[in-house]
Amino acid sequence: MSTNDILFLAEFDAGQATRSALELAAGAAALAAQSGGEAVALAYGPGAADGAAGLGAHGAARCVVLGDERRPAVVHAPAATAVAREGALALLAPATPNGRDLAAALVGSLGLPAFGPVRAVRLVDGTLETEQATLQGAVITTSRPNEGAPSPSVVLVLANTFTPIEGGTGSAAVSTAPTDDGESGLARATIAESQPAEATVVNLEEATVIVAGGRGVGSQEGFGVLQELADVLGGAVGASRAAADAGWVPYQLQIGQTGKVVKPSLYIAVGISGAIQHRVGMQSAEHVIAINRDPDAPIGEFADLFVVGDLFGVVPALTDELRRRRGE
Amino acid sequence: MKIVVCIKQVPATGADKRYTDDLRLDRASAEAIINPLDEYAIEQALRLADDGVADVITYLTMGPESASEALRRALAMGGDDAVLVSDPGLAGSDEWVTARVLAAALDRLAPDVALMGMASDDARGSLVPGAVAAMRDVPLLSYGAELRVAGNEARVRRLSSDGFDWIAAPLPVVASLTDQVGEPRYASLKGIMAAKRKPLETWTLADLGLSAAELHGGALTRVTGARPPEAKPPAERVENVTPTEAAARIADWMAARKLI
Ligand SMILES: Cc1cc2nc3c(=O)[nH]c(=O)nc-3n(C[C@H](O)[C@H](O)[C@H](O)COP(=O)(O)OP(=O)(O)OC[C@H]3O[C@@H](n4cnc5c(N)ncnc54)[C@H](O)[C@@H]3O)c2cc1C
Ligand SMILES: Nc1ncnc2c1ncn2[C@@H]1O[C@H](COP(=O)(O)O)[C@@H](O)[C@H]1O
């Protein structure tokens, strides 16, 4: 317990630490090495109690288990108690809907400075500095907590900002958050009904290659053509809002302002015009290829490779070419 | 049933946005609009009024004097009255202060449902709704793709990792909505005329019983730098070739970057 420690939210699902937990563990470990503190996980969700110690191999020195619930409405109370007790320098939270809700509840109940969603976070002369794309990517700003602001600073971190530490050893010291039996207003929200999808939906935030389709793809069958390309590349299929609105793919695959924010190493935009609301969800991709039949489509302004052509010709040809090169 | 819709004035989508030398948003340089996602929340409030569920719809914003324009635009879509919280002590405010001030104003307005957009266009933190709910100690129904209010309960349909959940809570609640709830209506000419006569009050921090000191001078954080994004070199183009040729060129390009 020290004011140099770096806390991070470690969400578990089905007995496993999520990708975001492993990314934040690496980020917290790097910051803690600079601040002279420890990386401390706040672990919650199904499997957190059993899996917590394992976060030690990914950078965590200690782990406080909050419980086996994932819902922010429930996790909030033990999280607030643990955060108040730890008195750390920063708290890293994933910029996912659950991560944001939990972070927001902590900001509200503990009165903490909030940052994000950030694409970088560092220590400059012992002070936290974050970097974020503001105004829909028009400006990159850096921010810091004001002098005398309470700590920890709550930092929402975009997926793929940090790379998980693999092949590490060691286990984290595990403790359990003190139970708080005060009745909280947030906890009055409950799940009245759950409707799982017929098919499992991939988590786009974890994909390193994404083949995204837009209105140009034209139909659900059209997305089958994209899926074949994604399969050869070991990637996942994503979509614009127009494609999700049309019902060709589930909304979980929507990328953009009101969908997922992704940062894969390769993003292939197929039949997507490149509206600003789509762009904010994928502008941090390392490499962007656009396939569009309109030579003036705005996506050409932020693609690295712009292929002007009909997607129904180019995409299957590319799938074949990649298979051929692989000797299939 | 009383509904308050929290709306934020933001620079128009895609407008030329700049920061001034003192690292504030240069409000003079861009056309100001209602945060587009907040219009979806307004639409839901108006539908609840159309359906006879809501009796009073109030708009609430915190911002400079000029943000009253956004309130007039909302009133032109429908609704009853509006409150602007404006104070010199709020210039440069951050998410915590915004939430603190909105929570104090909502304490005073005491709505059954406080509606918000899922995110503001300019910062996209999506933190204000949850922070306000925690401060007011009321349930948060977030990322609602559909909203239902009946009796003493509100519920939203929220996307889950593979399907969706209906999240329910007793009133009062804070709910934040996505753009899946349904397209916002346009203001009619009649609506625009009527809006001019609807009550619009301005509250200061003192009116809310808040002091600059307890708000840490207006923010817990500050912007320390602003610069344009890294310039991207223009895209390499592949044009006027057969699909087979295009495919070969893409594969070469990917191979050169070790992507395959
Ligand atoms: C509040 C708000 C939030 C939003 N959030 C999101 C979001 O999160 N994500 C998002 O994506 N959008 C979002 N949008 C919508 C966004 O503004 C655009 O409307 C949307 O991204 C357009 O989708 P699209 O590019 O698929 O379709 P279009 O703009 O219609 O583009 C289709 C493209 O396909 C090309 N095409 C057509 N046929 C072919 C073919 N055979 N071969 C090759 N190319 C072809 C066309 O040339 C065109 O460029 C939001 C809008 C609002 C107001
Ligand atoms: N200054 C403000 N005045 C009124 N409502 C606001 C303000 N800032 C944020 N909100 C509300 O909070 C939502 C989420 O904003 P944010 O947390 O900034 O992404 C917005 O869609 C608005 O409904």
Side-chain angles (χ1 to χ4, degrees), chain A residues 213-218 239-243 245 248 254-260 270-281 291-295 297-299 307 309-313, chain B residues 13 36-37 40 121 179 183:
Chain A
R215 201 191 310 272
V217 176
S240 72
R241 180 179 123 179
D245 277 344
W248 304 331
Q254 181 185 321
I255 291 161
Q257 186 190 11
T258 52
K260 296 261 158 64
V270 183
I272 291 179
S273 63
I276 185 93
Q277 295 94 346
H278 186 76
R279 180 175 177 168
V280 295
I291 301 172
N292 199 302
R293 68 178 176 198
D294 173 6
I299 189 111
V307 181
D310 188 293
L311 71 94
F312 296 104
Chain B
T13 315
L37 279 161
Y40 290 82
D121 235 13
D179 52 340
E183 290 301 310

Short mmCIF file of all heavy atoms in Angstrom, two decimals, chain A residues 213-218 239-243 245 248 254-260 270-281 291-295 297-299 307 309-313, chain B residues 13 36-37 40 121 179 183, ligand 1:
data_model
loop_
_atom_site.label_atom_id
_atom_site.label_comp_id
_atom_site.label_asym_id
_atom_site.label_seq_id
_atom_site.Cartn_x
_atom_site.Cartn_y
_atom_site.Cartn_z
N GLY A 213 -16.73 -4.63 -43.07
CA GLY A 213 -17.59 -4.38 -44.23
C GLY A 213 -18.60 -3.30 -43.96
O GLY A 213 -19.05 -3.11 -42.83
N GLY A 214 -18.98 -2.58 -45.02
CA GLY A 214 -19.97 -1.52 -44.89
C GLY A 214 -21.18 -1.76 -45.78
O GLY A 214 -21.41 -2.89 -46.23
N ARG A 215 -21.91 -0.69 -46.03
CA ARG A 215 -23.11 -0.77 -46.84
C ARG A 215 -22.84 -1.39 -48.21
O ARG A 215 -23.68 -2.09 -48.77
CB ARG A 215 -23.71 0.63 -47.03
CG ARG A 215 -25.19 0.62 -47.41
CD ARG A 215 -25.70 1.98 -47.87
NE ARG A 215 -25.36 3.08 -46.97
CZ ARG A 215 -26.10 3.45 -45.92
NH1 ARG A 215 -27.21 2.81 -45.65
NH2 ARG A 215 -25.74 4.45 -45.17
N GLY A 216 -21.62 -1.16 -48.72
CA GLY A 216 -21.25 -1.70 -50.03
C GLY A 216 -21.31 -3.21 -50.09
O GLY A 216 -21.46 -3.79 -51.17
N VAL A 217 -21.20 -3.88 -48.95
CA VAL A 217 -21.19 -5.34 -48.93
C VAL A 217 -22.59 -5.88 -49.28
O VAL A 217 -22.72 -7.01 -49.76
CB VAL A 217 -20.69 -5.87 -47.57
CG1 VAL A 217 -20.76 -7.38 -47.47
CG2 VAL A 217 -19.25 -5.40 -47.35
N GLY A 218 -23.61 -5.09 -49.03
CA GLY A 218 -24.92 -5.34 -49.62
C GLY A 218 -25.84 -6.36 -48.98
O GLY A 218 -27.04 -6.28 -49.15
N ALA A 239 -17.76 -4.30 -38.83
CA ALA A 239 -18.74 -3.65 -39.70
C ALA A 239 -18.91 -2.17 -39.38
O ALA A 239 -18.57 -1.71 -38.30
CB ALA A 239 -20.09 -4.35 -39.55
N SER A 240 -19.47 -1.45 -40.34
CA SER A 240 -19.88 -0.07 -40.11
C SER A 240 -21.28 -0.10 -39.50
O SER A 240 -21.95 -1.14 -39.48
CB SER A 240 -19.93 0.71 -41.43
OG SER A 240 -21.04 0.27 -42.20
N ARG A 241 -21.73 1.06 -39.03
CA ARG A 241 -23.07 1.11 -38.47
C ARG A 241 -24.11 0.81 -39.54
O ARG A 241 -25.12 0.15 -39.26
CB ARG A 241 -23.34 2.49 -37.85
CG ARG A 241 -24.74 2.57 -37.26
CD ARG A 241 -25.05 3.90 -36.63
NE ARG A 241 -26.23 4.48 -37.25
CZ ARG A 241 -26.76 5.65 -36.89
NH1 ARG A 241 -26.20 6.37 -35.93
NH2 ARG A 241 -27.82 6.11 -37.48
N ALA A 242 -23.86 1.26 -40.76
CA ALA A 242 -24.84 1.01 -41.83
C ALA A 242 -25.07 -0.48 -41.99
O ALA A 242 -26.22 -0.92 -42.18
CB ALA A 242 -24.35 1.64 -43.13
N ALA A 243 -24.01 -1.28 -41.92
CA ALA A 243 -24.14 -2.73 -42.09
C ALA A 243 -24.85 -3.37 -40.88
O ALA A 243 -25.64 -4.30 -41.03
CB ALA A 243 -22.77 -3.36 -42.31
N ASP A 245 -26.97 -1.72 -38.85
CA ASP A 245 -28.36 -1.24 -38.92
C ASP A 245 -29.18 -2.08 -39.91
O ASP A 245 -30.36 -2.32 -39.69
CB ASP A 245 -28.41 0.23 -39.39
CG ASP A 245 -28.16 1.21 -38.24
OD1 ASP A 245 -28.26 0.79 -37.07
OD2 ASP A 245 -27.88 2.39 -38.52
N TRP A 248 -27.22 -7.13 -41.22
CA TRP A 248 -26.35 -8.13 -41.85
C TRP A 248 -25.40 -8.76 -40.85
O TRP A 248 -24.94 -9.88 -41.03
CB TRP A 248 -25.54 -7.50 -43.01
CG TRP A 248 -26.40 -6.85 -44.05
CD1 TRP A 248 -27.68 -7.21 -44.37
CD2 TRP A 248 -26.07 -5.73 -44.87
NE1 TRP A 248 -28.16 -6.38 -45.35
CE2 TRP A 248 -27.20 -5.47 -45.68
CE3 TRP A 248 -24.94 -4.92 -45.01
CZ2 TRP A 248 -27.21 -4.44 -46.61
CZ3 TRP A 248 -24.95 -3.91 -45.94
CH2 TRP A 248 -26.08 -3.66 -46.74
N GLN A 254 -20.10 -3.76 -34.68
CA GLN A 254 -19.99 -2.38 -35.16
C GLN A 254 -18.75 -1.70 -34.61
O GLN A 254 -18.44 -1.79 -33.43
CB GLN A 254 -21.23 -1.58 -34.75
CG GLN A 254 -21.19 -0.13 -35.24
CD GLN A 254 -22.36 0.68 -34.72
OE1 GLN A 254 -23.47 0.19 -34.63
NE2 GLN A 254 -22.09 1.92 -34.35
N ILE A 255 -18.07 -1.01 -35.51
CA ILE A 255 -16.84 -0.28 -35.14
C ILE A 255 -17.11 1.21 -35.32
O ILE A 255 -17.71 1.61 -36.31
CB ILE A 255 -15.68 -0.73 -36.04
CG1 ILE A 255 -15.30 -2.17 -35.69
CG2 ILE A 255 -14.47 0.20 -35.88
CD1 ILE A 255 -14.51 -2.87 -36.75
N GLY A 256 -16.69 2.02 -34.35
CA GLY A 256 -16.87 3.45 -34.49
C GLY A 256 -17.27 4.12 -33.20
O GLY A 256 -17.18 3.54 -32.12
N GLN A 257 -17.76 5.34 -33.33
CA GLN A 257 -18.09 6.15 -32.16
C GLN A 257 -19.04 5.45 -31.21
O GLN A 257 -18.86 5.49 -30.00
CB GLN A 257 -18.73 7.46 -32.63
CG GLN A 257 -18.97 8.41 -31.47
CD GLN A 257 -19.82 9.59 -31.86
OE1 GLN A 257 -20.41 9.64 -32.93
NE2 GLN A 257 -19.86 10.57 -30.98
N THR A 258 -20.07 4.81 -31.75
CA THR A 258 -21.04 4.14 -30.89
C THR A 258 -20.88 2.62 -30.96
O THR A 258 -21.76 1.88 -30.54
CB THR A 258 -22.47 4.55 -31.23
OG1 THR A 258 -22.69 4.37 -32.63
CG2 THR A 258 -22.71 6.01 -30.89
N GLY A 259 -19.75 2.18 -31.51
CA GLY A 259 -19.44 0.75 -31.53
C GLY A 259 -18.12 0.53 -30.82
O GLY A 259 -17.80 1.23 -29.86
N LYS A 260 -17.35 -0.44 -31.30
CA LYS A 260 -16.06 -0.73 -30.68
C LYS A 260 -14.99 0.23 -31.18
O LYS A 260 -15.04 0.69 -32.32
CB LYS A 260 -15.64 -2.16 -31.02
CG LYS A 260 -16.57 -3.22 -30.46
CD LYS A 260 -16.01 -3.82 -29.19
CE LYS A 260 -17.06 -4.47 -28.32
NZ LYS A 260 -17.71 -5.62 -28.93
N VAL A 270 -13.83 -2.60 -46.27
CA VAL A 270 -14.41 -3.04 -47.54
C VAL A 270 -15.79 -2.43 -47.73
O VAL A 270 -16.69 -2.66 -46.92
CB VAL A 270 -14.51 -4.59 -47.56
CG1 VAL A 270 -15.04 -5.05 -48.91
CG2 VAL A 270 -13.17 -5.23 -47.27
N GLY A 271 -15.97 -1.62 -48.77
CA GLY A 271 -17.28 -1.02 -49.02
C GLY A 271 -17.72 -0.11 -47.90
O GLY A 271 -18.89 -0.04 -47.55
N ILE A 272 -16.75 0.59 -47.29
CA ILE A 272 -17.01 1.55 -46.21
C ILE A 272 -16.54 2.91 -46.69
O ILE A 272 -15.42 3.04 -47.17
CB ILE A 272 -16.25 1.14 -44.93
CG1 ILE A 272 -16.85 -0.14 -44.34
CG2 ILE A 272 -16.25 2.27 -43.90
CD1 ILE A 272 -16.15 -0.64 -43.09
N SER A 273 -17.41 3.94 -46.56
CA SER A 273 -17.05 5.24 -47.12
C SER A 273 -16.03 5.99 -46.26
O SER A 273 -15.23 6.77 -46.77
CB SER A 273 -18.31 6.10 -47.29
OG SER A 273 -18.90 6.36 -46.03
N GLY A 274 -16.05 5.75 -44.94
CA GLY A 274 -15.08 6.42 -44.08
C GLY A 274 -15.63 7.64 -43.37
O GLY A 274 -14.93 8.64 -43.21
N ALA A 275 -16.88 7.58 -42.92
CA ALA A 275 -17.48 8.68 -42.16
C ALA A 275 -16.69 8.90 -40.87
O ALA A 275 -16.11 7.97 -40.32
CB ALA A 275 -18.94 8.36 -41.81
N ILE A 276 -16.70 10.14 -40.37
CA ILE A 276 -15.94 10.48 -39.17
C ILE A 276 -16.31 9.56 -38.00
O ILE A 276 -15.45 9.14 -37.23
CB ILE A 276 -16.13 11.97 -38.80
CG1 ILE A 276 -15.26 12.38 -37.61
CG2 ILE A 276 -17.57 12.32 -38.49
CD1 ILE A 276 -13.95 12.93 -38.00
N GLN A 277 -17.59 9.21 -37.88
CA GLN A 277 -18.01 8.36 -36.75
C GLN A 277 -17.44 6.95 -36.88
O GLN A 277 -17.31 6.23 -35.90
CB GLN A 277 -19.54 8.28 -36.64
CG GLN A 277 -20.20 9.58 -36.32
CD GLN A 277 -20.65 10.32 -37.57
OE1 GLN A 277 -20.23 9.97 -38.67
NE2 GLN A 277 -21.48 11.33 -37.41
N HIS A 278 -17.16 6.52 -38.11
CA HIS A 278 -16.51 5.22 -38.27
C HIS A 278 -15.02 5.35 -37.99
O HIS A 278 -14.42 4.54 -37.28
CB HIS A 278 -16.72 4.68 -39.70
CG HIS A 278 -16.19 3.28 -39.85
ND1 HIS A 278 -16.86 2.18 -39.35
CD2 HIS A 278 -15.06 2.79 -40.41
CE1 HIS A 278 -16.15 1.09 -39.60
NE2 HIS A 278 -15.05 1.44 -40.23
N ARG A 279 -14.47 6.41 -38.51
CA ARG A 279 -13.03 6.65 -38.39
C ARG A 279 -12.54 6.66 -36.94
O ARG A 279 -11.48 6.13 -36.63
CB ARG A 279 -12.72 7.98 -39.07
CG ARG A 279 -11.30 8.36 -39.05
CD ARG A 279 -11.09 9.62 -39.87
NE ARG A 279 -9.70 10.03 -39.78
CZ ARG A 279 -9.17 10.95 -40.55
NH1 ARG A 279 -9.89 11.56 -41.46
NH2 ARG A 279 -7.91 11.28 -40.42
N VAL A 280 -13.31 7.29 -36.04
CA VAL A 280 -12.85 7.38 -34.65
C VAL A 280 -12.72 6.00 -34.01
O VAL A 280 -12.03 5.86 -33.00
CB VAL A 280 -13.76 8.27 -33.77
CG1 VAL A 280 -13.72 9.70 -34.23
CG2 VAL A 280 -15.18 7.75 -33.73
N GLY A 281 -13.33 4.99 -34.60
CA GLY A 281 -13.23 3.66 -34.03
C GLY A 281 -12.05 2.85 -34.54
O GLY A 281 -11.74 1.79 -34.00
N ILE A 291 -10.81 -0.98 -49.66
CA ILE A 291 -11.25 -1.47 -50.96
C ILE A 291 -12.60 -0.81 -51.23
O ILE A 291 -13.57 -1.05 -50.50
CB ILE A 291 -11.37 -3.01 -50.98
CG1 ILE A 291 -10.01 -3.64 -50.64
CG2 ILE A 291 -11.88 -3.50 -52.34
CD1 ILE A 291 -10.05 -5.15 -50.43
N ASN A 292 -12.66 0.04 -52.24
CA ASN A 292 -13.88 0.82 -52.49
C ASN A 292 -13.95 1.14 -53.98
O ASN A 292 -12.94 1.41 -54.61
CB ASN A 292 -13.82 2.12 -51.67
CG ASN A 292 -15.19 2.75 -51.51
OD1 ASN A 292 -15.85 3.06 -52.50
ND2 ASN A 292 -15.62 2.93 -50.27
N ARG A 293 -15.17 1.12 -54.53
CA ARG A 293 -15.23 1.39 -55.97
C ARG A 293 -15.27 2.87 -56.29
O ARG A 293 -15.14 3.26 -57.45
CB ARG A 293 -16.41 0.65 -56.60
CG ARG A 293 -17.76 1.17 -56.17
CD ARG A 293 -18.87 0.42 -56.87
NE ARG A 293 -20.15 0.88 -56.38
CZ ARG A 293 -21.29 0.20 -56.52
NH1 ARG A 293 -21.30 -0.96 -57.14
NH2 ARG A 293 -22.40 0.69 -56.04
N ASP A 294 -15.45 3.69 -55.26
CA ASP A 294 -15.47 5.14 -55.46
C ASP A 294 -14.07 5.70 -55.24
O ASP A 294 -13.56 5.70 -54.12
CB ASP A 294 -16.47 5.77 -54.47
CG ASP A 294 -16.44 7.29 -54.49
OD1 ASP A 294 -15.74 7.86 -55.34
OD2 ASP A 294 -17.12 7.89 -53.63
N PRO A 295 -13.42 6.21 -56.31
CA PRO A 295 -12.04 6.70 -56.16
C PRO A 295 -11.95 7.90 -55.22
O PRO A 295 -10.86 8.22 -54.74
CB PRO A 295 -11.63 7.10 -57.58
CG PRO A 295 -12.90 7.25 -58.35
CD PRO A 295 -13.91 6.34 -57.70
N ALA A 297 -13.79 8.20 -52.30
CA ALA A 297 -14.33 7.89 -50.97
C ALA A 297 -13.39 8.46 -49.89
O ALA A 297 -12.17 8.33 -50.00
CB ALA A 297 -14.48 6.38 -50.79
N PRO A 298 -13.97 9.11 -48.86
CA PRO A 298 -13.14 9.72 -47.80
C PRO A 298 -12.19 8.73 -47.12
O PRO A 298 -11.16 9.13 -46.59
CB PRO A 298 -14.17 10.24 -46.79
CG PRO A 298 -15.47 10.24 -47.49
CD PRO A 298 -15.41 9.32 -48.65
N ILE A 299 -12.51 7.45 -47.14
CA ILE A 299 -11.63 6.47 -46.49
C ILE A 299 -10.24 6.52 -47.12
O ILE A 299 -9.24 6.19 -46.48
CB ILE A 299 -12.24 5.04 -46.56
CG1 ILE A 299 -11.45 4.06 -45.69
CG2 ILE A 299 -12.29 4.50 -47.99
CD1 ILE A 299 -12.17 3.58 -44.49
N VAL A 307 -7.39 0.66 -52.63
CA VAL A 307 -7.64 -0.13 -53.82
C VAL A 307 -8.99 0.27 -54.40
O VAL A 307 -10.03 0.08 -53.76
CB VAL A 307 -7.63 -1.64 -53.48
CG1 VAL A 307 -7.85 -2.47 -54.74
CG2 VAL A 307 -6.33 -2.02 -52.78
N GLY A 309 -11.86 -0.44 -56.68
CA GLY A 309 -12.39 -1.57 -57.44
C GLY A 309 -13.63 -2.14 -56.79
O GLY A 309 -14.00 -1.74 -55.68
N ASP A 310 -14.26 -3.07 -57.49
CA ASP A 310 -15.47 -3.70 -56.98
C ASP A 310 -15.09 -4.76 -55.96
O ASP A 310 -14.28 -5.65 -56.24
CB ASP A 310 -16.25 -4.33 -58.13
CG ASP A 310 -17.61 -4.82 -57.65
OD1 ASP A 310 -17.66 -5.78 -56.85
OD2 ASP A 310 -18.62 -4.22 -58.05
N LEU A 311 -15.67 -4.68 -54.78
CA LEU A 311 -15.28 -5.59 -53.70
C LEU A 311 -15.59 -7.04 -54.05
O LEU A 311 -14.88 -7.95 -53.60
CB LEU A 311 -15.93 -5.16 -52.38
CG LEU A 311 -17.44 -5.34 -52.18
CD1 LEU A 311 -17.75 -6.67 -51.50
CD2 LEU A 311 -17.99 -4.21 -51.34
N PHE A 312 -16.63 -7.26 -54.83
CA PHE A 312 -16.99 -8.65 -55.15
C PHE A 312 -16.01 -9.27 -56.12
O PHE A 312 -15.96 -10.49 -56.27
CB PHE A 312 -18.43 -8.71 -55.67
CG PHE A 312 -19.42 -8.30 -54.63
CD1 PHE A 312 -20.04 -7.05 -54.67
CD2 PHE A 312 -19.70 -9.14 -53.55
CE1 PHE A 312 -20.93 -6.66 -53.68
CE2 PHE A 312 -20.60 -8.77 -52.56
CZ PHE A 312 -21.20 -7.51 -52.63
N GLY A 313 -15.19 -8.43 -56.80
CA GLY A 313 -14.10 -8.96 -57.60
C GLY A 313 -12.83 -9.08 -56.77
O GLY A 313 -12.19 -10.13 -56.71
N THR B 13 -19.93 18.22 -35.95
CA THR B 13 -19.17 17.07 -36.41
C THR B 13 -18.39 17.43 -37.67
O THR B 13 -18.95 17.94 -38.63
CB THR B 13 -20.15 15.93 -36.74
OG1 THR B 13 -21.09 15.84 -35.69
CG2 THR B 13 -19.42 14.61 -36.88
N PRO B 36 -24.69 15.22 -30.96
CA PRO B 36 -25.64 14.39 -31.71
C PRO B 36 -26.26 13.26 -30.89
O PRO B 36 -27.45 12.98 -31.02
CB PRO B 36 -24.79 13.83 -32.85
CG PRO B 36 -23.74 14.87 -33.07
CD PRO B 36 -23.44 15.45 -31.71
N LEU B 37 -25.49 12.63 -30.02
CA LEU B 37 -26.05 11.53 -29.24
C LEU B 37 -27.10 12.02 -28.24
O LEU B 37 -28.01 11.28 -27.87
CB LEU B 37 -24.95 10.75 -28.53
CG LEU B 37 -24.25 9.75 -29.45
CD1 LEU B 37 -22.91 9.34 -28.90
CD2 LEU B 37 -25.14 8.52 -29.67
N TYR B 40 -30.63 11.95 -29.58
CA TYR B 40 -31.33 10.66 -29.47
C TYR B 40 -32.02 10.56 -28.11
O TYR B 40 -33.11 10.00 -28.00
CB TYR B 40 -30.35 9.50 -29.67
CG TYR B 40 -29.86 9.35 -31.10
CD1 TYR B 40 -28.82 10.12 -31.58
CD2 TYR B 40 -30.44 8.44 -31.97
CE1 TYR B 40 -28.36 9.99 -32.88
CE2 TYR B 40 -30.01 8.30 -33.28
CZ TYR B 40 -28.96 9.08 -33.73
OH TYR B 40 -28.52 8.95 -35.02
N ASP B 121 -19.42 14.11 -28.02
CA ASP B 121 -18.67 14.06 -29.25
C ASP B 121 -17.24 14.55 -29.10
O ASP B 121 -16.34 14.10 -29.79
CB ASP B 121 -19.37 15.00 -30.25
CG ASP B 121 -19.72 14.29 -31.53
OD1 ASP B 121 -19.66 13.05 -31.53
OD2 ASP B 121 -20.06 14.97 -32.50
N ASP B 179 -27.30 5.47 -30.15
CA ASP B 179 -27.99 5.90 -31.37
C ASP B 179 -28.88 4.81 -31.95
O ASP B 179 -29.46 4.98 -33.01
CB ASP B 179 -26.96 6.37 -32.42
CG ASP B 179 -25.88 5.34 -32.67
OD1 ASP B 179 -25.67 4.45 -31.81
OD2 ASP B 179 -25.23 5.41 -33.73
N GLU B 183 -34.08 7.44 -34.63
CA GLU B 183 -33.60 8.74 -35.13
C GLU B 183 -34.35 9.90 -34.51
O GLU B 183 -35.58 9.86 -34.37
CB GLU B 183 -33.73 8.78 -36.65
CG GLU B 183 -32.75 7.86 -37.38
CD GLU B 183 -31.30 8.19 -37.08
OE1 GLU B 183 -30.91 9.37 -37.19
OE2 GLU B 183 -30.54 7.26 -36.72
C1 LIG C 1 -24.46 9.72 -33.53
C2 LIG C 1 -23.94 8.87 -34.65
C3 LIG C 1 -23.12 7.80 -34.34
C4 LIG C 1 -22.60 7.00 -35.37
N1 LIG C 1 -21.78 5.95 -35.03
C5 LIG C 1 -21.24 5.19 -36.01
C6 LIG C 1 -20.35 4.12 -35.71
O1 LIG C 1 -20.08 3.82 -34.54
N2 LIG C 1 -19.83 3.41 -36.72
C7 LIG C 1 -20.10 3.68 -38.03
O2 LIG C 1 -19.56 2.98 -38.91
N3 LIG C 1 -20.94 4.68 -38.35
C8 LIG C 1 -21.52 5.43 -37.37
N4 LIG C 1 -22.40 6.43 -37.71
C9 LIG C 1 -22.86 6.51 -39.12
C10 LIG C 1 -21.89 7.19 -40.07
O3 LIG C 1 -22.15 8.57 -40.06
C11 LIG C 1 -22.09 6.66 -41.52
O4 LIG C 1 -23.43 6.84 -41.89
C12 LIG C 1 -21.73 5.18 -41.69
O5 LIG C 1 -20.45 4.91 -41.15
C13 LIG C 1 -21.75 4.81 -43.16
O6 LIG C 1 -21.52 3.43 -43.32
P1 LIG C 1 -20.88 2.87 -44.66
O7 LIG C 1 -19.54 3.49 -44.88
O8 LIG C 1 -20.93 1.40 -44.55
O9 LIG C 1 -21.94 3.29 -45.75
P2 LIG C 1 -21.84 4.37 -46.91
O10 LIG C 1 -21.43 5.69 -46.39
O11 LIG C 1 -23.11 4.27 -47.64
O12 LIG C 1 -20.66 3.84 -47.82
C14 LIG C 1 -20.71 2.68 -48.60
C15 LIG C 1 -19.43 2.63 -49.41
O13 LIG C 1 -19.38 1.41 -50.14
C16 LIG C 1 -18.86 1.65 -51.43
N5 LIG C 1 -19.33 0.57 -52.28
C17 LIG C 1 -20.62 0.29 -52.64
N6 LIG C 1 -20.68 -0.82 -53.40
C18 LIG C 1 -19.40 -1.24 -53.55
C19 LIG C 1 -18.80 -2.32 -54.25
N7 LIG C 1 -19.53 -3.22 -54.94
N8 LIG C 1 -17.45 -2.45 -54.21
C20 LIG C 1 -16.68 -1.56 -53.53
N9 LIG C 1 -17.20 -0.52 -52.86
C21 LIG C 1 -18.54 -0.36 -52.87
C22 LIG C 1 -19.38 3.02 -51.80
O14 LIG C 1 -18.53 3.62 -52.76
C23 LIG C 1 -19.32 3.75 -50.46
O15 LIG C 1 -18.08 4.42 -50.28
C24 LIG C 1 -22.92 7.26 -36.72
C25 LIG C 1 -23.74 8.35 -37.01
C26 LIG C 1 -24.25 9.14 -36.00
C27 LIG C 1 -25.12 10.31 -36.34
#
